[in-house]
Amino acid sequence: MNSIEEYLREAEAAHGHLCAGQVLGVRMAMAGLSRLGIAEPRGVDRKRLITYVEIDRCATDAIMVVTGCRLGKRALKFFDWGKMAATFVDLQSGHAVRVSAKESSKDAARRLHPEIESKNQQQMLAYREMPEEDLFDFQNVDVEVGLEDLPGYKGERIICSECGEGINFHREIARDGRSLCRACAGESYYRPMKNAH
């Protein structure tokens, strides 16, 4: 595994700036991988790890840098729960650990570096130095990863009976003998405009 400083340089380049969230994400991923015994997730066996992130903030980009997990490689899964947390799943051993940031870490950063006025600068420095136990809660968890959610999975493509769009990875919904995409089944995040030109 690289050093925290090496990962932070990579995270800054990938994200566009360095902030407290980036430091937290790097530390979170390093701690999770360490607990799973995975020394180099971006190495030869890169299909060994799946990471579930629970927030779409700066930390997620840093977690991607450390783990090598990407949405496009189907190794990064996103749940929009608004929590500064991630679960790291070792597909080889079946072990998984959920790492969540402690709310108390912000106060701990303030106590550790009261001489720094900027909250972001204060947290960036403190989050580098603080012991993992002061930053995170760790929970061994069981994650059932379906075959269709594995990196490299290639399954059949279903055509939505309503809109005609293709659906991959068994994401269709069966209703009244028809296969529907989630949008046509009523789970859409968008609405077609009535008078679109």
Side-chain angles (χ1 to χ4, degrees):
M1 198 172 295
N2 292 349
S3 72
I4 185 171
E5 294 305 323
E6 290 170 311
Y7 283 133
L8 287 173
R9 280 193 296 276
E10 288 182 48
E12 181 178 13
H15 186 67
H17 71 271
L18 191 60
C19 62
Q22 291 283 93
V23 178
L24 206 56
V26 165
R27 293 282 313 271
M28 183 179 285
M30 291 176 76
L33 294 175
S34 174
R35 278 175 168 64
L36 291 176
I38 297 176
E40 184 45 63
R42 303 182 302 182
V44 185
D45 200 7
R46 58 177 217 284
K47 289 185 181 178
R48 176 181 177 182
L49 181 69
I50 289 183
T51 302
Y52 294 82
V53 292
E54 299 178 20
I55 196 164
D56 56 351
R57 298 286 304 183
C58 305
T60 297
D61 284 348
I63 289 167
M64 290 189 322
V65 164
V66 175
T67 62
C69 294
R70 304 279 188 269
L71 280 171
K73 293 184 179 199
R74 309 200 72 239
L76 183 72
K77 311 295 183 183
F78 172 59
F79 287 95
D80 194 4
W81 290 0
K83 292 185 172 188
M84 187 63 78
T87 299
F88 306 90
V89 181
D90 182 347
L91 295 172
Q92 195 172 72
S93 71
H95 295 127
V97 62
R98 183 174 182 271
V99 184
S100 58
K102 289 184 174 182
E103 282 302 309
S104 60
S105 65
K106 293 176 183 178
D107 289 334
R110 199 171 14 261
R111 285 191 307 275
L112 191 59
H113 288 291
E115 75 283 2
I116 301 174
E117 286 187 35
S118 163
K119 184 174 78 170
N120 185 53
Q121 294 298 319
Q122 188 180 66
Q123 290 172 357
M124 281 177 51
L125 183 58
Y127 292 169
R128 280 182 168 105
E129 301 170 347
M130 290 168 63
E132 289 176 354
E133 295 72 26
D134 291 345
L135 280 175
F136 306 117
D137 284 317
F138 298 93
Q139 184 179 21
N140 291 322
V141 296
D142 182 35
V143 179
E144 206 169 303
V145 181
L147 182 65
E148 65 276 4
D149 289 321
L150 293 172
Y153 175 80
K154 294 180 180 23
E156 67 177 314
R157 187 172 171 87
I158 303 296
I159 304 300
C160 176
S161 300
E162 188 75 25
C163 69
E165 292 180 358
I167 311 160
N168 294 313
F169 311 121
H170 298 288
R171 300 306 194 249
E172 71 274 4
I173 295 174
R175 187 172 293 152
D176 300 324
R178 298 172 46 192
S179 293
L180 299 174
C181 69
R182 292 186 183 276
C184 291
E187 296 181 22
S188 184
Y189 67 91
Y190 61 88
R191 273 188 328 272
M193 295 177 64
K194 295 191 190 288
N195 296 324
H197 297 353

